[in-house]
Amino acid sequence: GAVVSQHPSWVICKSGTSVKIECRSLDFQATTMFWYRQFPKQSLMLMATSNEGSKATYEQGVEKDKFLINHASLTLSTLTVTSAHPEDSSFYICSAPGGETEAFFGQGTRLTVV
Amino acid sequence: GEDVEQSLFLSVREGDSSVINCTYTDSSSTYLYWYKQEPGAGLQLLTYIFSNMDMKQDQRLTVLLNKKDKHLSLRIADTQTGDSAIYFCAESGGYNFNKFYFGSGTKLNVKP
């Protein structure tokens, strides 16, 4: 089946630095991808919709300047957490549409900011 | 975003049936989903139901949908220890089938 790959799987960074997370659709093209955030022992929260060739659409309460999204090609979306702080530590997951009834999820990226 | 709620924990004995419940608020959702997440892993689609259906059965899984009450349930028959995981219900965001709003997740613990 279709595969969505995220890189890195985990990352530890210092407070104040920026971290880039990549989401790739490996065997199909995705004009839209979605970014989610999962806090420990909590649900996945939709952060934004990444649109190839145009600006991302952010959910209410998500800081667009903090979480920069770039959909550079039909197979790649990136999420950059800028000036990361410990409260940004979380599990970030991307997904790409797989037709009308399904989305393909990446394996997730665990970000720890120290 | 939309509101999707689940109970946080469920504990059952191996061989029993598990029923995980979910309520949602967006009546325009076209599809409702159940996903499984094992520790440290991504999300695995278990099943989904079209909003004009009341029930869907897929091997050990039975999904019931009460659209009037906006209530969704997942029944796992003959629960096994390998079913221990977190189960998320999700609704698709109205016109956008692939944009999901997830419930809080129910952690299912299956005792041998």
Side-chain angles (χ1 to χ4, degrees), chain A residues 14-19 66 81-85 88 113:
Chain A
K14 289 185 178 179
S15 193
T17 62
S18 295
V19 175
K66 174 77 170 172
V81 183
T82 62
S83 186
H85 290 284
D88 298 324
V113 184

Side-chain angles (χ1 to χ4, degrees), chain B residues 94-106:
Chain B
Y95 65 90
N96 190 330
F97 299 130
N98 291 283
K99 186 175 171 181
F100 294 97
Y101 294 97
F102 287 88
S104 53
T106 299

Side-chain angles (χ1 to χ4, degrees), chain B residues 4 8 13 26 31-32 35 37 44 46 51 53 72 76 78 82 85 95 98 109 112:
Chain B
V4 183
L8 293 180
R13 293 217 171 268
D26 186 0
Y31 294 98
L32 294 126
Y35 278 86
Q37 185 181 38
Q44 174 194 353
L46 286 179
S51 58
M53 296 171 65
L72 182 74
I76 306 173
D78 187 25
Y95 65 90
N98 291 283
N109 180 40

Side-chain angles (χ1 to χ4, degrees), chain B residues 53-108:
Chain B
M53 296 171 65
D54 298 323
M55 185 182 88
K56 180 178 180 181
Q57 186 151 3
D58 184 359
Q59 299 183 337
R60 291 193 297 125
L61 305 178
T62 303
V63 178
L64 295 178
L65 175 60
N66 182 328
K67 199 170 180 182
K68 174 177 168 287
D69 294 339
K70 298 192 183 73
H71 183 266
L72 182 74
S73 68
L74 173 70
R75 179 176 179 269
I76 306 173
D78 187 25
T79 315
Q80 303 297 307
T81 53
D83 294 324
S84 293
I86 300 177
Y87 291 80
F88 292 97
C89 67
E91 57 176 353
S92 58
Y95 65 90
N96 190 330
F97 299 130
N98 291 283
K99 186 175 171 181
F100 294 97
Y101 294 97
F102 287 88
S104 53
T106 299
K107 186 170 184 179
L108 174 64

Side-chain angles (χ1 to χ4, degrees), chain A residues 55-56 58-59 61-69 80 82:
Chain A
K55 291 182 182 179
Y58 290 82
E59 295 296 301
V62 178
E63 299 176 61
K64 59 179 72 174
D65 294 331
K66 174 77 170 172
F67 299 101
L68 299 179
I69 290 172
T80 301
T82 62

Side-chain angles (χ1 to χ4, degrees), chain A residues 4-23:
Chain A
V4 172
S5 176
Q6 272 183 251
H7 177 81
S9 298
W10 58 270
V11 57
I12 301 173
C13 72
K14 289 185 178 179
S15 193
T17 62
S18 295
V19 175
K20 182 187 282 188
I21 302 169
E22 294 185 346
C23 179

